[in-house]
Amino acid sequence: MAAEQGLALYNTVAGETSAVLIRSYSTSFGLASRLLPARTRRQIETIYALVRLADEIVDGVALAAKIPRGDIGALLDELEADTERALRTGYSVNLVVHAFALTARATGIGPELTRPFFASMRADLEQAEHTEASFNEYVYGSAEVVGLMCLQCFLQDLAIPEDQSKRLREGAQRLGSAFQKVNFLRDLAQDFETLGRSYFPGVTVDAFTETDKNRILDSIDADLLVSGAAAAELPAGCRAAVVLAQELFTELARRLRATPAARLRTTRVRVPNPVKARIAARAVLTRRATVPAAAPISPEPNGPHP
């Protein structure tokens, strides 16, 4: 096999590996991503696959594999070093990293976005509680930069006026922030009891109050208001997928607000499958009004997100 053919096959296998990884871990991701154009969907899959790979290192899988706790940070460091090397060279022996690098090099994603991400992942190994400053830094690195990476894919090859670009960047960051805070609130008890983490500054999990809950949800609603306005300015091909993701988390935030704070200490709130299906159907109709129809979306099986 010629070297060029071998590389093309390797690239294809790397992309397929990322798709299998992220779809296995997040069925809701598949629900929204099916509304994206094929090229963009493949690129977004590579971003979320790398995020998931890093997340699994710090959230217990490495420990479950009996990796000594002191060595887990070194694994994360190795993954970051491999990622930066692949950004420079376009190649990695790690198929997930290789696929991400292909996306990054095609869309202009660089270390200015990957380094804050890995810094936040590293914080999960070193920091159990947060101040307001460290929380904001953590959310930026763990979620907002992921939104910015996705935006790079949405805008690939497009000339966008600077004022619109600024609004889209803010929208991407605020949507990532909202997603992360919703997940923190929904997983409040699990993060504390299983991982020993308390993300929200000034919040005591054992004494979580309605005031705490509503303050957090007010912040989430403010984020979603900004991101929702920005979503309307996205290219038509990716707009419906982003709106679907936004509406799923908006519905989840609404259900969290309706759930007593005391119950959130013991119960994980989710959006029922029939409600997800209705939200997805509306997004499909939106997409059909602007771009060629997507494959029909069936209700999502029971899963962790959202």
Side-chain angles (χ1 to χ4, degrees), residues 14-235:
E16 291 174 350
T17 300
S18 291
V20 169
L21 188 155
I22 193 58
R23 292 179 189 278
S24 297
Y25 274 94
S26 177
T27 48
S28 287
F29 174 86
L31 190 67
S33 69
R34 288 174 66 182
L35 295 177
L36 291 168
R39 182 187 72 173
T40 306
R41 181 176 65 250
R42 290 191 294 268
Q43 291 175 333
I44 300 300
E45 286 170 346
T46 69
I47 292 170
Y48 276 90
L50 180 67
V51 167
R52 173 54 63 180
L53 194 63
D55 200 46
E56 290 305 312
I57 293 175
V58 302
D59 274 357
V61 172
L63 201 61
K66 303 192 183 307
I67 303 298
R69 189 177 296 273
D71 293 344
I72 293 176
L75 291 177
L76 189 65
D77 292 344
E78 290 169 11
L79 181 61
E80 180 176 17
D82 189 18
T83 299
E84 291 215 10
R85 183 166 53 248
L87 290 178
R88 294 191 305 270
T89 66
Y91 174 76
S92 173
V93 296
N94 181 319
L95 288 168
V96 171
V97 173
H98 183 85
F100 173 80
L102 294 178
T103 292
R105 286 161 64 89
T107 61
I109 296 169
E112 74 283 353
L113 295 180
T114 59
R115 288 174 185 171
F117 167 72
F118 280 104
S120 287
M121 294 300 96
R122 199 167 288 109
D124 276 337
L125 298 174
E126 302 167 351
Q127 195 166 359
E129 297 182 356
H130 285 274
T131 64
E132 193 70 34
S134 70
F135 177 78
N136 291 337
E137 185 176 2
Y138 180 91
V139 171
Y140 174 75
S142 64
E144 293 181 27
V145 298
V146 177
L148 291 171
M149 291 180 196
C150 293
L151 183 63
Q152 294 280 92
C153 299
F154 298 156
L155 301 182
Q156 184 179 356
D157 301 328
L158 297 178
I160 302 293
E162 180 54 36
D163 58 340
Q164 182 182 5
S165 178
K166 182 178 179 181
R167 291 192 297 272
L168 290 175
R169 290 196 301 270
E170 183 181 7
Q173 289 184 235
R174 296 290 286 270
L175 188 57
S177 174
F179 285 2
Q180 187 67 290
K181 285 183 278 192
V182 165
N183 284 328
F184 286 162
L185 185 55
R186 182 179 56 174
D187 296 336
L188 191 72
Q190 181 180 343
D191 285 340
F192 182 72
E193 294 171 6
T194 305
L195 302 173
R197 299 178 196 150
S198 179
Y199 286 102
F200 294 114
V203 169
T204 303
V205 176
D206 290 339
F208 188 63
T209 67
E210 286 294 316
T211 299
D212 293 329
K213 182 191 76 172
N214 288 324
R215 175 172 53 81
I216 294 165
L217 283 164
D218 287 347
S219 171
I220 291 168
D221 286 348
D223 285 336
L224 290 171
L225 187 65
V226 173
S227 63
E233 296 192 62
L234 286 167

